[in-house]
Amino acid sequence: MGTKAAIVTGGSKGIGAAIAERLVRQGTAVMITARKREPLERTAERLRALGGGEVAFQVGHAGSPEDAEACMAATMSAFGSVDILVNNAATSPYHGPVIEVDIPRLDKTIEVNLRGPLLWSQAAWRAHMGRHGGSILNISSIGGQAYTSDNGVYAMTKAGLDFLTRFLAVELAPTVRVNAIAPGLVATEMAEALWNGPNVRVPPMGRVGTPEDIAAAAVYLLGDEAGWVTGQVLDVDGGALICDFERYRRRPKPAVPLPAPEAGA
Ligand SMILES: NC(=O)c1ccc[n+]([C@@H]2O[C@H](COP(=O)([O-])OP(=O)(O)OC[C@H]3O[C@@H](n4cnc5c(N)ncnc54)[C@H](OP(=O)(O)O)[C@@H]3O)[C@@H](O)[C@H]2O)c1
């Protein structure tokens, strides 16, 4: 087989850029995509200087079916295949109790974090993978597996993404493998409020994660070494998920008061 080609959504920064870098270093041709052109241009230039696989970029919104189709077409025209899709772009515009979320921010979170990965997977399947095979990786979050105060809307989209991963893995097997990584706290722009302050919650491994920690797991799941691995959600979190009982005790009071117990009950 010739050179493989990958699409990485949200590939201009953070975890997406680190995954793109690992893929380029191993000779994969990579299309990075995000909403803003300048960061894409800068990252593409930096990745090209590595002298590995070819690099292209395409401006696009992860929630848009038209942008997904356009990115597939651009990748097919630039590289001749779409063998790898990394659904990495996500958003978290609302923080607060789920019961109080407004519809615009609820819809936006679902659009980018859950509907987007499905639409991009459909587009990749139609453009190339359905006939020639491939590997899809969804970037989820350990937030989708346990309670964290004020993070429920984001968390429920990530829990949905974990289930989407399992369903697609069965539906697309044996042609395409579909896996997910659930990162813990990683030092990127998106999570800056959580790691760049005095109250940072350091996991058992003694430090917050780096984008490279996630990228190392990503190239394993995407590559031939993981040829019999599908439908898995791999937690890459420095041990955070297995020990963080304190989060549940810090839950906020319900916004809707509970009924008073009946007399004598
Ligand atoms: N950092 C953490 O602690 C952490 C923990 C668990 C899970 N994750 C997950 O890891 C993934 C990457 O996060 P990150 O921390 O690397 O974030 P980041 O550094 O903020 O980068 C986000 C990337 O996604 C792009 N993006 C954002 N919204 C987009 C949209 N609607 N359409 C297309 N591209 C969009 C951004 O570029 P533009 O703004 O130009 O579009 C950027 O390239 C996400 O799925 C996130 O949920 C992160």
mmCIF file with all atom_site columns, all heavy atoms in Angstrom, residues 10 12-15 34-36 60-62 88-90 139-141 154 158 183-184 186 188 190-191, ligand 1:
data_model
loop_
_atom_site.group_PDB
_atom_site.id
_atom_site.type_symbol
_atom_site.label_atom_id
_atom_site.label_alt_id
_atom_site.label_comp_id
_atom_site.label_asym_id
_atom_site.label_entity_id
_atom_site.label_seq_id
_atom_site.pdbx_PDB_ins_code
_atom_site.Cartn_x
_atom_site.Cartn_y
_atom_site.Cartn_z
_atom_site.occupancy
_atom_site.B_iso_or_equiv
_atom_site.pdbx_formal_charge
_atom_site.auth_seq_id
_atom_site.auth_comp_id
_atom_site.auth_asym_id
_atom_site.auth_atom_id
_atom_site.pdbx_PDB_model_num
ATOM   1   N N   . GLY A 1 10  ? -9.799  20.110 13.910 1.00 0.00 ? 10  GLY A N   1
ATOM   2   C CA  . GLY A 1 10  ? -9.182  20.835 15.026 1.00 0.00 ? 10  GLY A CA  1
ATOM   3   C C   . GLY A 1 10  ? -7.684  20.605 15.042 1.00 0.00 ? 10  GLY A C   1
ATOM   4   O O   . GLY A 1 10  ? -7.063  20.520 16.102 1.00 0.00 ? 10  GLY A O   1
ATOM   5   N N   . SER A 1 12  ? -5.242  22.566 14.082 1.00 0.00 ? 12  SER A N   1
ATOM   6   C CA  . SER A 1 12  ? -4.351  23.731 14.086 1.00 0.00 ? 12  SER A CA  1
ATOM   7   C C   . SER A 1 12  ? -3.669  23.954 15.435 1.00 0.00 ? 12  SER A C   1
ATOM   8   O O   . SER A 1 12  ? -2.698  24.700 15.518 1.00 0.00 ? 12  SER A O   1
ATOM   9   C CB  . SER A 1 12  ? -5.137  24.994 13.693 1.00 0.00 ? 12  SER A CB  1
ATOM   10  O OG  . SER A 1 12  ? -6.160  25.249 14.634 1.00 0.00 ? 12  SER A OG  1
ATOM   11  N N   . LYS A 1 13  ? -4.188  23.332 16.484 1.00 0.00 ? 13  LYS A N   1
ATOM   12  C CA  . LYS A 1 13  ? -3.682  23.622 17.844 1.00 0.00 ? 13  LYS A CA  1
ATOM   13  C C   . LYS A 1 13  ? -3.754  22.385 18.715 1.00 0.00 ? 13  LYS A C   1
ATOM   14  O O   . LYS A 1 13  ? -4.399  21.395 18.364 1.00 0.00 ? 13  LYS A O   1
ATOM   15  C CB  . LYS A 1 13  ? -4.580  24.684 18.502 1.00 0.00 ? 13  LYS A CB  1
ATOM   16  C CG  . LYS A 1 13  ? -4.334  26.086 18.061 1.00 0.00 ? 13  LYS A CG  1
ATOM   17  C CD  . LYS A 1 13  ? -5.097  27.066 18.935 1.00 0.00 ? 13  LYS A CD  1
ATOM   18  C CE  . LYS A 1 13  ? -6.542  27.155 18.536 1.00 0.00 ? 13  LYS A CE  1
ATOM   19  N NZ  . LYS A 1 13  ? -7.297  28.164 19.240 1.00 0.00 ? 13  LYS A NZ  1
ATOM   20  N N   . GLY A 1 14  ? -3.186  22.478 19.889 1.00 0.00 ? 14  GLY A N   1
ATOM   21  C CA  . GLY A 1 14  ? -3.417  21.523 20.973 1.00 0.00 ? 14  GLY A CA  1
ATOM   22  C C   . GLY A 1 14  ? -3.229  20.063 20.576 1.00 0.00 ? 14  GLY A C   1
ATOM   23  O O   . GLY A 1 14  ? -2.268  19.689 19.895 1.00 0.00 ? 14  GLY A O   1
ATOM   24  N N   . ILE A 1 15  ? -4.154  19.230 21.018 1.00 0.00 ? 15  ILE A N   1
ATOM   25  C CA  . ILE A 1 15  ? -4.068  17.780 20.819 1.00 0.00 ? 15  ILE A CA  1
ATOM   26  C C   . ILE A 1 15  ? -4.104  17.441 19.331 1.00 0.00 ? 15  ILE A C   1
ATOM   27  O O   . ILE A 1 15  ? -3.342  16.579 18.862 1.00 0.00 ? 15  ILE A O   1
ATOM   28  C CB  . ILE A 1 15  ? -5.221  17.090 21.591 1.00 0.00 ? 15  ILE A CB  1
ATOM   29  C CG1 . ILE A 1 15  ? -4.989  17.230 23.102 1.00 0.00 ? 15  ILE A CG1 1
ATOM   30  C CG2 . ILE A 1 15  ? -5.357  15.630 21.180 1.00 0.00 ? 15  ILE A CG2 1
ATOM   31  C CD1 . ILE A 1 15  ? -6.172  16.823 23.981 1.00 0.00 ? 15  ILE A CD1 1
ATOM   32  N N   . ALA A 1 34  ? -9.770  23.363 10.564 1.00 0.00 ? 34  ALA A N   1
ATOM   33  C CA  . ALA A 1 34  ? -10.282 24.117 11.718 1.00 0.00 ? 34  ALA A CA  1
ATOM   34  C C   . ALA A 1 34  ? -10.997 25.344 11.150 1.00 0.00 ? 34  ALA A C   1
ATOM   35  O O   . ALA A 1 34  ? -11.041 25.526 9.928  1.00 0.00 ? 34  ALA A O   1
ATOM   36  C CB  . ALA A 1 34  ? -9.143  24.526 12.654 1.00 0.00 ? 34  ALA A CB  1
ATOM   37  N N   . ARG A 1 35  ? -11.534 26.206 12.031 1.00 0.00 ? 35  ARG A N   1
ATOM   38  C CA  . ARG A 1 35  ? -12.300 27.361 11.520 1.00 0.00 ? 35  ARG A CA  1
ATOM   39  C C   . ARG A 1 35  ? -11.411 28.522 11.103 1.00 0.00 ? 35  ARG A C   1
ATOM   40  O O   . ARG A 1 35  ? -11.723 29.231 10.158 1.00 0.00 ? 35  ARG A O   1
ATOM   41  C CB  . ARG A 1 35  ? -13.276 27.850 12.594 1.00 0.00 ? 35  ARG A CB  1
ATOM   42  C CG  . ARG A 1 35  ? -14.416 26.903 12.873 1.00 0.00 ? 35  ARG A CG  1
ATOM   43  C CD  . ARG A 1 35  ? -15.108 27.263 14.145 1.00 0.00 ? 35  ARG A CD  1
ATOM   44  N NE  . ARG A 1 35  ? -14.159 27.308 15.250 1.00 0.00 ? 35  ARG A NE  1
ATOM   45  C CZ  . ARG A 1 35  ? -14.436 27.694 16.476 1.00 0.00 ? 35  ARG A CZ  1
ATOM   46  N NH1 . ARG A 1 35  ? -15.653 28.103 16.775 1.00 0.00 ? 35  ARG A NH1 1
ATOM   47  N NH2 . ARG A 1 35  ? -13.522 27.689 17.416 1.00 0.00 ? 35  ARG A NH2 1
ATOM   48  N N   . LYS A 1 36  ? -10.302 28.743 11.812 1.00 0.00 ? 36  LYS A N   1
ATOM   49  C CA  . LYS A 1 36  ? -9.495  29.944 11.541 1.00 0.00 ? 36  LYS A CA  1
ATOM   50  C C   . LYS A 1 36  ? -8.310  29.619 10.637 1.00 0.00 ? 36  LYS A C   1
ATOM   51  O O   . LYS A 1 36  ? -7.554  28.679 10.908 1.00 0.00 ? 36  LYS A O   1
ATOM   52  C CB  . LYS A 1 36  ? -8.993  30.548 12.852 1.00 0.00 ? 36  LYS A CB  1
ATOM   53  C CG  . LYS A 1 36  ? -10.121 31.002 13.743 1.00 0.00 ? 36  LYS A CG  1
ATOM   54  C CD  . LYS A 1 36  ? -9.604  31.709 14.988 1.00 0.00 ? 36  LYS A CD  1
ATOM   55  C CE  . LYS A 1 36  ? -10.595 31.624 16.135 1.00 0.00 ? 36  LYS A CE  1
ATOM   56  N NZ  . LYS A 1 36  ? -10.403 30.495 17.033 1.00 0.00 ? 36  LYS A NZ  1
ATOM   57  N N   . GLY A 1 60  ? -12.697 24.864 7.804  1.00 0.00 ? 60  GLY A N   1
ATOM   58  C CA  . GLY A 1 60  ? -13.998 24.195 7.857  1.00 0.00 ? 60  GLY A CA  1
ATOM   59  C C   . GLY A 1 60  ? -14.519 24.125 9.280  1.00 0.00 ? 60  GLY A C   1
ATOM   60  O O   . GLY A 1 60  ? -13.752 24.167 10.242 1.00 0.00 ? 60  GLY A O   1
ATOM   61  N N   . HIS A 1 61  ? -15.839 24.006 9.407  1.00 0.00 ? 61  HIS A N   1
ATOM   62  C CA  . HIS A 1 61  ? -16.514 23.891 10.710 1.00 0.00 ? 61  HIS A CA  1
ATOM   63  C C   . HIS A 1 61  ? -16.832 22.415 10.942 1.00 0.00 ? 61  HIS A C   1
ATOM   64  O O   . HIS A 1 61  ? -17.431 21.763 10.077 1.00 0.00 ? 61  HIS A O   1
ATOM   65  C CB  . HIS A 1 61  ? -17.791 24.733 10.675 1.00 0.00 ? 61  HIS A CB  1
ATOM   66  C CG  . HIS A 1 61  ? -18.394 24.940 12.009 1.00 0.00 ? 61  HIS A CG  1
ATOM   67  N ND1 . HIS A 1 61  ? -18.948 23.919 12.743 1.00 0.00 ? 61  HIS A ND1 1
ATOM   68  C CD2 . HIS A 1 61  ? -18.520 26.059 12.764 1.00 0.00 ? 61  HIS A CD2 1
ATOM   69  C CE1 . HIS A 1 61  ? -19.403 24.393 13.886 1.00 0.00 ? 61  HIS A CE1 1
ATOM   70  N NE2 . HIS A 1 61  ? -19.156 25.694 13.920 1.00 0.00 ? 61  HIS A NE2 1
ATOM   71  N N   . ALA A 1 62  ? -16.464 21.929 12.116 1.00 0.00 ? 62  ALA A N   1
ATOM   72  C CA  . ALA A 1 62  ? -16.648 20.496 12.402 1.00 0.00 ? 62  ALA A CA  1
ATOM   73  C C   . ALA A 1 62  ? -18.119 20.090 12.436 1.00 0.00 ? 62  ALA A C   1
ATOM   74  O O   . ALA A 1 62  ? -18.432 18.911 12.281 1.00 0.00 ? 62  ALA A O   1
ATOM   75  C CB  . ALA A 1 62  ? -15.972 20.134 13.724 1.00 0.00 ? 62  ALA A CB  1
ATOM   76  N N   . ASN A 1 88  ? -11.365 15.316 16.206 1.00 0.00 ? 88  ASN A N   1
ATOM   77  C CA  . ASN A 1 88  ? -10.750 15.900 17.411 1.00 0.00 ? 88  ASN A CA  1
ATOM   78  C C   . ASN A 1 88  ? -11.405 17.216 17.840 1.00 0.00 ? 88  ASN A C   1
ATOM   79  O O   . ASN A 1 88  ? -11.438 17.525 19.031 1.00 0.00 ? 88  ASN A O   1
ATOM   80  C CB  . ASN A 1 88  ? -9.256  16.107 17.131 1.00 0.00 ? 88  ASN A CB  1
ATOM   81  C CG  . ASN A 1 88  ? -8.596  17.009 18.138 1.00 0.00 ? 88  ASN A CG  1
ATOM   82  O OD1 . ASN A 1 88  ? -8.327  16.615 19.264 1.00 0.00 ? 88  ASN A OD1 1
ATOM   83  N ND2 . ASN A 1 88  ? -8.357  18.262 17.744 1.00 0.00 ? 88  ASN A ND2 1
ATOM   84  N N   . ALA A 1 89  ? -11.946 17.994 16.891 1.00 0.00 ? 89  ALA A N   1
ATOM   85  C CA  . ALA A 1 89  ? -12.496 19.315 17.235 1.00 0.00 ? 89  ALA A CA  1
ATOM   86  C C   . ALA A 1 89  ? -13.653 19.168 18.220 1.00 0.00 ? 89  ALA A C   1
ATOM   87  O O   . ALA A 1 89  ? -14.462 18.251 18.108 1.00 0.00 ? 89  ALA A O   1
ATOM   88  C CB  . ALA A 1 89  ? -12.986 20.020 15.971 1.00 0.00 ? 89  ALA A CB  1
ATOM   89  N N   . ALA A 1 90  ? -13.719 20.057 19.186 1.00 0.00 ? 90  ALA A N   1
ATOM   90  C CA  . ALA A 1 90  ? -14.831 20.054 20.145 1.00 0.00 ? 90  ALA A CA  1
ATOM   91  C C   . ALA A 1 90  ? -14.981 21.442 20.735 1.00 0.00 ? 90  ALA A C   1
ATOM   92  O O   . ALA A 1 90  ? -14.102 22.299 20.576 1.00 0.00 ? 90  ALA A O   1
ATOM   93  C CB  . ALA A 1 90  ? -14.582 19.030 21.261 1.00 0.00 ? 90  ALA A CB  1
ATOM   94  N N   . ILE A 1 139 ? -11.823 11.826 19.523 1.00 0.00 ? 139 ILE A N   1
ATOM   95  C CA  . ILE A 1 139 ? -11.235 12.327 20.767 1.00 0.00 ? 139 ILE A CA  1
ATOM   96  C C   . ILE A 1 139 ? -12.373 12.699 21.709 1.00 0.00 ? 139 ILE A C   1
ATOM   97  O O   . ILE A 1 139 ? -13.093 13.676 21.498 1.00 0.00 ? 139 ILE A O   1
ATOM   98  C CB  . ILE A 1 139 ? -10.277 13.514 20.523 1.00 0.00 ? 139 ILE A CB  1
ATOM   99  C CG1 . ILE A 1 139 ? -9.175  13.124 19.524 1.00 0.00 ? 139 ILE A CG1 1
ATOM   100 C CG2 . ILE A 1 139 ? -9.663  13.950 21.856 1.00 0.00 ? 139 ILE A CG2 1
ATOM   101 C CD1 . ILE A 1 139 ? -8.308  11.930 19.924 1.00 0.00 ? 139 ILE A CD1 1
ATOM   102 N N   . SER A 1 140 ? -12.539 11.875 22.717 1.00 0.00 ? 140 SER A N   1
ATOM   103 C CA  . SER A 1 140 ? -13.619 12.028 23.686 1.00 0.00 ? 140 SER A CA  1
ATOM   104 C C   . SER A 1 140 ? -13.085 12.763 24.915 1.00 0.00 ? 140 SER A C   1
ATOM   105 O O   . SER A 1 140 ? -12.266 13.675 24.794 1.00 0.00 ? 140 SER A O   1
ATOM   106 C CB  . SER A 1 140 ? -14.153 10.634 24.024 1.00 0.00 ? 140 SER A CB  1
ATOM   107 O OG  . SER A 1 140 ? -15.217 10.717 24.922 1.00 0.00 ? 140 SER A OG  1
ATOM   108 N N   . SER A 1 141 ? -13.490 12.344 26.121 1.00 0.00 ? 141 SER A N   1
ATOM   109 C CA  . SER A 1 141 ? -13.000 12.945 27.363 1.00 0.00 ? 141 SER A CA  1
ATOM   110 C C   . SER A 1 141 ? -13.395 12.034 28.523 1.00 0.00 ? 141 SER A C   1
ATOM   111 O O   . SER A 1 141 ? -14.480 11.436 28.487 1.00 0.00 ? 141 SER A O   1
ATOM   112 C CB  . SER A 1 141 ? -13.630 14.321 27.579 1.00 0.00 ? 141 SER A CB  1
ATOM   113 O OG  . SER A 1 141 ? -13.358 14.781 28.894 1.00 0.00 ? 141 SER A OG  1
ATOM   114 N N   . TYR A 1 154 ? -21.186 19.352 28.172 1.00 0.00 ? 154 TYR A N   1
ATOM   115 C CA  . TYR A 1 154 ? -20.019 18.828 27.449 1.00 0.00 ? 154 TYR A CA  1
ATOM   116 C C   . TYR A 1 154 ? -19.902 17.323 27.700 1.00 0.00 ? 154 TYR A C   1
ATOM   117 O O   . TYR A 1 154 ? -19.718 16.536 26.772 1.00 0.00 ? 154 TYR A O   1
ATOM   118 C CB  . TYR A 1 154 ? -18.786 19.571 27.946 1.00 0.00 ? 154 TYR A CB  1
ATOM   119 C CG  . TYR A 1 154 ? -17.437 19.056 27.505 1.00 0.00 ? 154 TYR A CG  1
ATOM   120 C CD1 . TYR A 1 154 ? -16.905 19.426 26.280 1.00 0.00 ? 154 TYR A CD1 1
ATOM   121 C CD2 . TYR A 1 154 ? -16.676 18.239 28.342 1.00 0.00 ? 154 TYR A CD2 1
ATOM   122 C CE1 . TYR A 1 154 ? -15.643 18.974 25.884 1.00 0.00 ? 154 TYR A CE1 1
ATOM   123 C CE2 . TYR A 1 154 ? -15.428 17.790 27.964 1.00 0.00 ? 154 TYR A CE2 1
ATOM   124 C CZ  . TYR A 1 154 ? -14.903 18.165 26.734 1.00 0.00 ? 154 TYR A CZ  1
ATOM   125 O OH  . TYR A 1 154 ? -13.649 17.723 26.355 1.00 0.00 ? 154 TYR A OH  1
ATOM   126 N N   . LYS A 1 158 ? -19.775 13.881 25.162 1.00 0.00 ? 158 LYS A N   1
ATOM   127 C CA  . LYS A 1 158 ? -18.632 12.957 25.110 1.00 0.00 ? 158 LYS A CA  1
ATOM   128 C C   . LYS A 1 158 ? -19.080 11.528 25.435 1.00 0.00 ? 158 LYS A C   1
ATOM   129 O O   . LYS A 1 158 ? -18.565 10.568 24.862 1.00 0.00 ? 158 LYS A O   1
ATOM   130 C CB  . LYS A 1 158 ? -17.530 13.420 26.054 1.00 0.00 ? 158 LYS A CB  1
ATOM   131 C CG  . LYS A 1 158 ? -16.881 14.757 25.638 1.00 0.00 ? 158 LYS A CG  1
ATOM   132 C CD  . LYS A 1 158 ? -16.212 14.677 24.276 1.00 0.00 ? 158 LYS A CD  1
ATOM   133 C CE  . LYS A 1 158 ? -15.324 15.883 24.006 1.00 0.00 ? 158 LYS A CE  1
ATOM   134 N NZ  . LYS A 1 158 ? -14.625 15.791 22.710 1.00 0.00 ? 158 LYS A NZ  1
ATOM   135 N N   . PRO A 1 183 ? -9.128  11.673 26.930 1.00 0.00 ? 183 PRO A N   1
ATOM   136 C CA  . PRO A 1 183 ? -8.054  12.313 27.695 1.00 0.00 ? 183 PRO A CA  1
ATOM   137 C C   . PRO A 1 183 ? -8.547  12.813 29.046 1.00 0.00 ? 183 PRO A C   1
ATOM   138 O O   . PRO A 1 183 ? -9.716  13.172 29.208 1.00 0.00 ? 183 PRO A O   1
ATOM   139 C CB  . PRO A 1 183 ? -7.646  13.517 26.821 1.00 0.00 ? 183 PRO A CB  1
ATOM   140 C CG  . PRO A 1 183 ? -8.297  13.318 25.487 1.00 0.00 ? 183 PRO A CG  1
ATOM   141 C CD  . PRO A 1 183 ? -9.521  12.492 25.762 1.00 0.00 ? 183 PRO A CD  1
ATOM   142 N N   . GLY A 1 184 ? -7.634  12.845 30.011 1.00 0.00 ? 184 GLY A N   1
ATOM   143 C CA  . GLY A 1 184 ? -7.860  13.605 31.234 1.00 0.00 ? 184 GLY A CA  1
ATOM   144 C C   . GLY A 1 184 ? -7.414  15.043 30.976 1.00 0.00 ? 184 GLY A C   1
ATOM   145 O O   . GLY A 1 184 ? -7.387  15.504 29.827 1.00 0.00 ? 184 GLY A O   1
ATOM   146 N N   . VAL A 1 186 ? -5.393  18.027 29.990 1.00 0.00 ? 186 VAL A N   1
ATOM   147 C CA  . VAL A 1 186 ? -4.230  18.216 29.115 1.00 0.00 ? 186 VAL A CA  1
ATOM   148 C C   . VAL A 1 186 ? -3.978  19.716 28.970 1.00 0.00 ? 186 VAL A C   1
ATOM   149 O O   . VAL A 1 186 ? -4.921  20.495 28.782 1.00 0.00 ? 186 VAL A O   1
ATOM   150 C CB  . VAL A 1 186 ? -4.495  17.585 27.721 1.00 0.00 ? 186 VAL A CB  1
ATOM   151 C CG1 . VAL A 1 186 ? -3.320  17.843 26.786 1.00 0.00 ? 186 VAL A CG1 1
ATOM   152 C CG2 . VAL A 1 186 ? -4.745  16.086 27.842 1.00 0.00 ? 186 VAL A CG2 1
ATOM   153 N N   . THR A 1 188 ? -3.724  22.504 27.251 1.00 0.00 ? 188 THR A N   1
ATOM   154 C CA  . THR A 1 188 ? -3.988  23.176 25.969 1.00 0.00 ? 188 THR A CA  1
ATOM   155 C C   . THR A 1 188 ? -4.821  24.413 26.256 1.00 0.00 ? 188 THR A C   1
ATOM   156 O O   . THR A 1 188 ? -5.297  24.618 27.383 1.00 0.00 ? 188 THR A O   1
ATOM   157 C CB  . THR A 1 188 ? -4.799  22.282 25.010 1.00 0.00 ? 188 THR A CB  1
ATOM   158 O OG1 . THR A 1 188 ? -6.113  22.116 25.565 1.00 0.00 ? 188 THR A OG1 1
ATOM   159 C CG2 . THR A 1 188 ? -4.155  20.930 24.782 1.00 0.00 ? 188 THR A CG2 1
ATOM   160 N N   . MET A 1 190 ? -7.868  25.073 25.344 1.00 0.00 ? 190 MET A N   1
ATOM   161 C CA  . MET A 1 190 ? -9.258  24.775 25.697 1.00 0.00 ? 190 MET A CA  1
ATOM   162 C C   . MET A 1 190 ? -9.448  24.602 27.201 1.00 0.00 ? 190 MET A C   1
ATOM   163 O O   . MET A 1 190 ? -10.454 25.023 27.762 1.00 0.00 ? 190 MET A O   1
ATOM   164 C CB  . MET A 1 190 ? -9.707  23.500 24.981 1.00 0.00 ? 190 MET A CB  1
ATOM   165 C CG  . MET A 1 190 ? -11.158 23.163 25.164 1.00 0.00 ? 190 MET A CG  1
ATOM   166 S SD  . MET A 1 190 ? -11.556 21.603 24.359 1.00 0.00 ? 190 MET A SD  1
ATOM   167 C CE  . MET A 1 190 ? -13.311 21.760 24.185 1.00 0.00 ? 190 MET A CE  1
ATOM   168 N N   . ALA A 1 191 ? -8.469  23.970 27.850 1.00 0.00 ? 191 ALA A N   1
ATOM   169 C CA  . ALA A 1 191 ? -8.631  23.620 29.272 1.00 0.00 ? 191 ALA A CA  1
ATOM   170 C C   . ALA A 1 191 ? -7.821  24.531 30.185 1.00 0.00 ? 191 ALA A C   1
ATOM   171 O O   . ALA A 1 191 ? -7.625  24.213 31.363 1.00 0.00 ? 191 ALA A O   1
ATOM   172 C CB  . ALA A 1 191 ? -8.202  22.167 29.464 1.00 0.00 ? 191 ALA A CB  1
HETATM 173 N N1  . LIG B 2 .   ? -7.403  19.791 26.919 1.00 0.00 ? 1   LIG B N1  1
HETATM 174 C C1  . LIG B 2 .   ? -7.997  18.948 27.737 1.00 0.00 ? 1   LIG B C1  1
HETATM 175 O O1  . LIG B 2 .   ? -7.788  18.935 28.960 1.00 0.00 ? 1   LIG B O1  1
HETATM 176 C C2  . LIG B 2 .   ? -8.956  17.919 27.160 1.00 0.00 ? 1   LIG B C2  1
HETATM 177 C C3  . LIG B 2 .   ? -9.452  16.946 28.040 1.00 0.00 ? 1   LIG B C3  1
HETATM 178 C C4  . LIG B 2 .   ? -10.327 15.992 27.560 1.00 0.00 ? 1   LIG B C4  1
HETATM 179 C C5  . LIG B 2 .   ? -10.691 16.010 26.224 1.00 0.00 ? 1   LIG B C5  1
HETATM 180 N N2  . LIG B 2 .   ? -10.201 16.968 25.383 1.00 0.00 ? 1   LIG B N2  1
HETATM 181 C C6  . LIG B 2 .   ? -10.634 16.928 23.982 1.00 0.00 ? 1   LIG B C6  1
HETATM 182 O O2  . LIG B 2 .   ? -9.507  17.024 23.128 1.00 0.00 ? 1   LIG B O2  1
HETATM 183 C C7  . LIG B 2 .   ? -9.898  17.615 21.894 1.00 0.00 ? 1   LIG B C7  1
HETATM 184 C C8  . LIG B 2 .   ? -8.958  18.737 21.524 1.00 0.00 ? 1   LIG B C8  1
HETATM 185 O O3  . LIG B 2 .   ? -8.980  19.716 22.539 1.00 0.00 ? 1   LIG B O3  1
HETATM 186 P P1  . LIG B 2 .   ? -7.749  20.695 22.835 1.00 0.00 ? 1   LIG B P1  1
HETATM 187 O O4  . LIG B 2 .   ? -7.629  20.775 24.292 1.00 0.00 ? 1   LIG B O4  1
HETATM 188 O O5  . LIG B 2 .   ? -6.584  20.305 22.007 1.00 0.00 ? 1   LIG B O5  1
HETATM 189 O O6  . LIG B 2 .   ? -8.365  22.085 22.310 1.00 0.00 ? 1   LIG B O6  1
HETATM 190 P P2  . LIG B 2 .   ? -7.656  23.405 21.701 1.00 0.00 ? 1   LIG B P2  1
HETATM 191 O O7  . LIG B 2 .   ? -6.219  23.455 22.016 1.00 0.00 ? 1   LIG B O7  1
HETATM 192 O O8  . LIG B 2 .   ? -8.537  24.528 22.114 1.00 0.00 ? 1   LIG B O8  1
HETATM 193 O O9  . LIG B 2 .   ? -7.812  23.182 20.122 1.00 0.00 ? 1   LIG B O9  1
HETATM 194 C C9  . LIG B 2 .   ? -9.080  23.039 19.559 1.00 0.00 ? 1   LIG B C9  1
HETATM 195 C C10 . LIG B 2 .   ? -8.944  22.870 18.065 1.00 0.00 ? 1   LIG B C10 1
HETATM 196 O O10 . LIG B 2 .   ? -10.250 22.626 17.519 1.00 0.00 ? 1   LIG B O10 1
HETATM 197 C C11 . LIG B 2 .   ? -10.579 23.669 16.577 1.00 0.00 ? 1   LIG B C11 1
HETATM 198 N N3  . LIG B 2 .   ? -12.012 23.891 16.660 1.00 0.00 ? 1   LIG B N3  1
HETATM 199 C C12 . LIG B 2 .   ? -12.730 24.351 17.724 1.00 0.00 ? 1   LIG B C12 1
HETATM 200 N N4  . LIG B 2 .   ? -14.025 24.426 17.388 1.00 0.00 ? 1   LIG B N4  1
HETATM 201 C C13 . LIG B 2 .   ? -14.134 23.997 16.101 1.00 0.00 ? 1   LIG B C13 1
HETATM 202 C C14 . LIG B 2 .   ? -15.214 23.852 15.194 1.00 0.00 ? 1   LIG B C14 1
HETATM 203 N N5  . LIG B 2 .   ? -16.464 24.163 15.529 1.00 0.00 ? 1   LIG B N5  1
HETATM 204 N N6  . LIG B 2 .   ? -14.953 23.384 13.951 1.00 0.00 ? 1   LIG B N6  1
HETATM 205 C C15 . LIG B 2 .   ? -13.691 23.076 13.579 1.00 0.00 ? 1   LIG B C15 1
HETATM 206 N N7  . LIG B 2 .   ? -12.635 23.194 14.395 1.00 0.00 ? 1   LIG B N7  1
HETATM 207 C C16 . LIG B 2 .   ? -12.860 23.653 15.635 1.00 0.00 ? 1   LIG B C16 1
HETATM 208 C C17 . LIG B 2 .   ? -9.695  24.846 16.978 1.00 0.00 ? 1   LIG B C17 1
HETATM 209 O O11 . LIG B 2 .   ? -9.421  25.734 15.904 1.00 0.00 ? 1   LIG B O11 1
HETATM 210 P P3  . LIG B 2 .   ? -10.441 26.947 15.513 1.00 0.00 ? 1   LIG B P3  1
HETATM 211 O O12 . LIG B 2 .   ? -10.755 27.656 16.793 1.00 0.00 ? 1   LIG B O12 1
HETATM 212 O O13 . LIG B 2 .   ? -9.684  27.757 14.513 1.00 0.00 ? 1   LIG B O13 1
HETATM 213 O O14 . LIG B 2 .   ? -11.636 26.293 14.894 1.00 0.00 ? 1   LIG B O14 1
HETATM 214 C C18 . LIG B 2 .   ? -8.407  24.109 17.366 1.00 0.00 ? 1   LIG B C18 1
HETATM 215 O O15 . LIG B 2 .   ? -7.710  23.707 16.208 1.00 0.00 ? 1   LIG B O15 1
HETATM 216 C C19 . LIG B 2 .   ? -11.362 18.030 22.084 1.00 0.00 ? 1   LIG B C19 1
HETATM 217 O O16 . LIG B 2 .   ? -12.201 17.020 21.556 1.00 0.00 ? 1   LIG B O16 1
HETATM 218 C C20 . LIG B 2 .   ? -11.516 18.090 23.589 1.00 0.00 ? 1   LIG B C20 1
HETATM 219 O O17 . LIG B 2 .   ? -12.864 17.898 23.993 1.00 0.00 ? 1   LIG B O17 1
HETATM 220 C C21 . LIG B 2 .   ? -9.350  17.927 25.829 1.00 0.00 ? 1   LIG B C21 1
#
